[in-house]
């Protein structure tokens, strides 16, 4: 999972790209990069947080009124190799700079095809470079129509035929403009905004609409699944639905990744999380009608609205009895289990005055590996809680993910190895409750003019919409990611 942004404006964009990435930092903290164009490409990349990667010299270099940026959470390619940082650039097919959020499930095959058939060399381990290679070679093959959008549309038909997986892409084509597109099933999110500028409109595309208000843009909806959007250098927008398949956006965006103020696929993330809390409370009352905690406490921050609605539904006090240090990153996207475990104690501080002598119900968005949850429960007990219950807004995570979330093997997933009772004992809870898949889906789909056919949640139900995941592919990814992590 990454954060991507692209801006086509009537004024210089480097500062706005930087501010946009600051507002997308929660989506990735491994590396970051910005590319702008003003007759040639200008690129700055760095490892770590956005605020650490750029300085005044960066902005002096990043000139131009059109540009793209990314903040990376690695799922393919080493996390700490700046050579895997985006944007990627190629000089062929006019010249293209590209950023990408997601994962390509057929990356090894694409890389081989590019080398042997298209004579395009991939110089990194990133599937983004392969995606760039496919786009560039297909634009070259598309001919010389007087309308560049016709060339792009023809090329994108081939891209969609060749590339499989979950992906959201923003790219600058030298001298032509800004393009944005999304995988045919809309697994990865991509939204757009508009702003009235001097002499015309400015446009922004991003993984979430969270940067729009600070930058003065109005939310203008989503880039559709399988849709190509092109903004010319003159500021004229073209849109075309290239392929039409089942619309299956990823459920974990609503559970964990997106900021609560985001609107994705015309569904408010905040409202969806409130409904998750309602449905989780109904599940609690169904399974434990005679157990009422003294406090409902979120494991901050993602689960705060979930816990708030949960507490309201069961009629007990909501308390933010765990303080979170905002300067510690999100543990799920930290590289390495040891880093994640250490960061829990640094990140969370229990308020004993709230917890001592109480029956506490902790609400979190999910249980992935179980070690973080166990640390949190132990912390609350040591702060004086009499009993500690635990409720997860996400059902058991059972399977790997191949569409942009770093869950590459079953070996890391506690629910793939233990029964719910065994998980309860491992994490040290007196009672543990999981949400159901139906309860989670209903919470997201209940409201909004979303036109979602089905939510993508392969890590919960084992259904991979691209139809190309088998045991052999799972073993390939497991081996690849194990090697990368050993190198990191």
């Amino acid at each position: 999972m990454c954060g991507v942004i692209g801006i086509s404006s009537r004024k210089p964009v480097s500062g706005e790209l930087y501010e946009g990435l600051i507002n997308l930092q929660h989506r990735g903290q491994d590396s970051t990069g910005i590319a702008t164009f003003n007759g040639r490409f200008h690129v700055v990349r760095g490892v770590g947080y956005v605020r650490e990667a750029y300085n005044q010299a960066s902005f002096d270099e990043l000139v131009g009124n059109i540009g793209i940026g990314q903040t990376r959470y690695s799922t393919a390619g080493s996390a700490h190799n700046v050579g895997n940082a985006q944007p990627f650039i190629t000089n062929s097919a006019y010249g293209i700079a590209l950023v990408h959020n997601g994962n390509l499930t057929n990356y090894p095959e694409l890389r081989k095809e590019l080398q042997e058939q298209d004579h395009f060399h991939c110089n990194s381990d990133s599937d983004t470079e392969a995606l760039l290679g496919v786009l560039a070679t297909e634009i070259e093959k598309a001919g010389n129509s007087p309308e560049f959008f016709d060339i792009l549309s023809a090329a994108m038909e081939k891209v969609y035929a060749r590339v499989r997986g979950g992906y959201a892409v923003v790219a600058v084509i030298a001298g032509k403009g800004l393009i944005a597109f999304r995988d045919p099933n809309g697994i990865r999110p991509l939204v757009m905004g508009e702003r009235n500028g001097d002499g015309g409109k400015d446009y922004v595309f991003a993984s979430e609409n969270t940067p729009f208000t600070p930058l003065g843009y109005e939310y203008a909806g989503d880039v559709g699944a399988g849709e190509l959007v092109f903004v010319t250098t003159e500021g004229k927008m073209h849109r075309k639905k290239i392929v039409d398949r089942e619309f299956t956006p990823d459920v974990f965006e609503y559970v964990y990744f997106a900021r609560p103020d985001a609107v994705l696929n015309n569904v408010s993330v905040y409202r969806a999380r409130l409904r998750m809390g309602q449905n989780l409370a109904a599940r609690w009352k169904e399974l434990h009608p005679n157990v009422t905690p003294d406090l409902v406490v979120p494991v901050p921050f993602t689960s705060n609205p979930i816990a708030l609605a949960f507490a309201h539904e069961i009629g007990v006090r909501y308390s933010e009895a765990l303080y979170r240090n905002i300067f510690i990153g999100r543990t799920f996207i930290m590289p390495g289990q040891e880093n994640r475990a250490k960061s829990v104690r640094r990140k969370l501080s229990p308020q004993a005055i709230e917890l001592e002598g109480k029956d506490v119900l902790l609400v979190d968005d999910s249980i992935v590996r179980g070690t973080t949850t166990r640390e949190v429960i132990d912390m609350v007990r040591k702060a004086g809680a009499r009993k500690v219950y635990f409720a997860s807004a996400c059902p058991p995570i059972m399977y790997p993910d191949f569409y942009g979330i770093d869950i590459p093997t079953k070996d890391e997933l506690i629910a793939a190895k233990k029964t719910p009772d065994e998980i309860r004992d491992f994490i040290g809870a007196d009672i543990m409750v999981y949400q159901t898949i139906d309860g989670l889906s209903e919470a997201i789909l209940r409201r909004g003019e979303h036109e979602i056919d089905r939510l993508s949640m392969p890590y919960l139900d084992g259904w991979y919409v691209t139809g190309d995941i088998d045991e052999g592919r799972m073993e390939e990814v497991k081996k690849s990611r194990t090697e990368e992590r050993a190198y990191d």
Side-chain angles (χ1 to χ4, degrees):
M1 188 65 58
C2 303
V4 299
I5 187 169
I7 297 176
S8 174
S9 179
R10 307 289 167 165
K11 59 184 181 180
V13 296
S14 60
E16 291 191 346
L17 290 168
Y18 173 82
E19 293 295 334
L21 291 176
I22 289 288
N23 281 279
L24 294 170
Q25 184 73 84
H26 59 286
R27 298 186 66 87
Q29 54 199 47
D30 292 337
S31 62
T32 179
I34 291 174
T36 59
F37 182 80
N38 75 330
R40 69 182 185 90
F41 287 112
H42 309 273
V43 186
V44 176
R45 302 183 185 92
V47 173
Y49 287 103
V50 173
R51 67 175 183 266
E52 299 166 343
Y54 308 99
N55 53 32
Q56 187 57 52
S58 304
F59 297 113
D60 292 340
E61 168 68 16
L62 293 167
V63 294
N65 293 1
I66 185 171
I68 54 176
Q70 193 234 30
T71 183
R72 182 172 184 250
Y73 149 58
S74 61
T75 54
S78 170
H80 303 298
N81 182 353
V82 73
N84 289 322
Q86 301 180 34
F88 280 93
I89 295 178
T90 181
N91 293 322
S92 63
Y94 305 94
I96 305 171
L98 180 147
V99 291
H100 154 235
N101 168 33
N103 255 60
L104 308 188
T105 56
N106 63 334
Y107 165 62
E109 295 87 348
L110 283 177
R111 182 169 178 149
K112 185 177 180 181
E113 283 178 15
L114 286 165
Q115 182 76 35
E116 296 178 357
Q117 299 175 23
D118 301 309
H119 309 295
F120 183 97
H121 175 71
C122 290
N123 201 49
S124 73
D125 298 319
S126 172
D127 58 352
T128 304
E129 189 177 20
L131 179 52
L132 172 61
V134 174
L135 177 63
T137 55
E138 293 303 338
I139 289 176
E140 278 192 318
K141 295 174 186 177
N144 295 306
S145 170
E147 293 295 331
F148 186 67
F149 188 62
D150 292 339
I151 295 174
L152 282 178
S153 298
M156 282 305 304
E157 288 183 15
K158 300 296 185 181
V159 171
Y160 281 133
R162 292 180 66 179
V163 177
R164 295 195 298 272
Y167 48 93
V169 176
V170 187
V172 176
I173 301 181
K176 298 297 182 180
L178 187 71
I179 69 169
F181 61 91
R182 201 172 167 194
D183 65 83
N185 299 104
I187 299 170
R188 299 270 64 89
L190 193 60
V191 297
M192 56 186 175
E194 298 178 351
R195 178 181 66 190
N196 290 324
D198 296 333
K201 284 188 176 180
D202 298 338
Y203 295 95
V204 60
F205 300 88
S207 298
E208 302 175 14
N209 60 305
T210 47
F212 292 1
T213 298
L215 297 178
Y217 285 87
E218 296 289 332
Y219 171 68
D222 299 83
V223 175
E227 181 183 27
L228 169 66
V229 182
F230 173 50
V231 179
T232 69
T233 53
E234 294 78 27
K236 183 179 180 181
M237 177 182 283
H238 302 265
R239 303 180 67 173
K240 184 177 181 180
K241 183 87 165 178
I242 305 296
V243 294
D244 190 7
R245 299 181 193 167
E246 191 173 15
F247 183 29
T248 61
D250 184 74
V251 76
F252 222 49
E253 288 285 349
Y254 299 96
V255 173
Y256 177 81
F257 275 112
R259 250 174 42 180
D261 52 331
V263 176
L264 302 178
N265 309 302
N266 288 318
V267 174
S268 162
V269 173
Y270 180 74
R271 294 287 183 176
R273 288 178 184 166
L274 289 176
R275 296 191 292 267
M276 289 177 204
Q278 293 173 346
N279 291 356
L280 187 58
R283 179 72 171 160
W284 175 269
K285 289 189 286 187
E286 174 190 347
L287 296 175
H288 303 286
N290 299 318
V291 179
T292 302
D294 298 310
L295 299 174
V296 173
V297 177
V299 179
F301 288 118
T302 309
S303 60
N304 285 28
I306 303 171
L308 181 65
F310 189 111
H312 181 268
E313 292 295 312
I314 67 171
V316 304
R317 187 160 67 89
Y318 167 85
S319 172
E320 295 183 359
L322 287 173
Y323 171 76
R324 178 180 170 182
N325 183 342
I326 62 173
F327 299 102
I328 304 296
R330 304 180 82 175
T331 56
F332 178 80
I333 62 176
M334 283 187 168
Q337 180 57 42
E338 185 177 351
N339 283 340
R340 282 186 290 267
K342 286 181 179 179
S343 73
V344 173
R345 298 281 175 173
R346 299 173 187 149
K347 182 175 74 170
L348 297 178
S349 176
Q351 300 194 57
I353 195 170
E354 280 284 274
L355 299 169
E356 191 171 3
K358 302 290 198 314
D359 292 348
V360 178
L361 192 151
L362 295 174
V363 175
D364 206 354
D365 48 68
S366 59
I367 306 173
V368 181
R369 300 165 182 89
T371 50
T372 296
T373 305
R374 183 171 62 178
E375 291 282 338
V376 173
I377 290 174
D378 181 65
M379 186 185 302
V380 170
R381 285 198 189 279
K382 287 179 178 176
R386 184 171 53 206
K387 290 186 177 180
V388 182
Y389 311 130
F390 192 89
S392 170
C394 186
I397 298 175
M398 304 281 291
Y399 307 97
D401 180 79
F402 296 88
Y403 302 139
I405 301 175
D406 192 17
I407 308 176
T409 73
K410 285 187 178 181
D411 296 345
E412 299 181 53
L413 305 175
I414 191 170
K417 300 179 291 186
K418 297 180 183 291
T419 67
D421 286 345
E422 289 172 336
I423 295 171
R424 179 201 62 213
D425 293 342
F426 176 83
I427 65 176
D430 293 287
I431 297 173
M432 184 195 69
V433 169
Y434 276 114
Q435 180 57 282
T436 65
I437 288 177
D438 287 346
L440 176 59
S441 297
E442 195 278 336
I444 296 167
L445 300 177
R446 188 190 306 174
R447 296 286 179 87
E449 298 177 4
H450 47 68
E451 299 181 353
I452 296 170
D453 294 311
R454 175 177 176 176
L455 289 163
S456 175
M457 54 179 88
Y459 33 82
L460 306 181
D461 61 13
W463 177 69
Y464 298 91
V465 64
T466 53
D468 59 344
I469 304 299
D470 55 23
E471 290 297 328
R473 179 62 178 144
M474 289 184 184
E475 193 59 33
E476 283 179 17
V477 174
K478 176 181 177 180
K479 181 180 178 182
S480 173
R481 290 299 285 145
T482 299
E483 290 172 352
E484 286 166 3
R485 286 170 173 177
Y487 177 78
D488 284 344

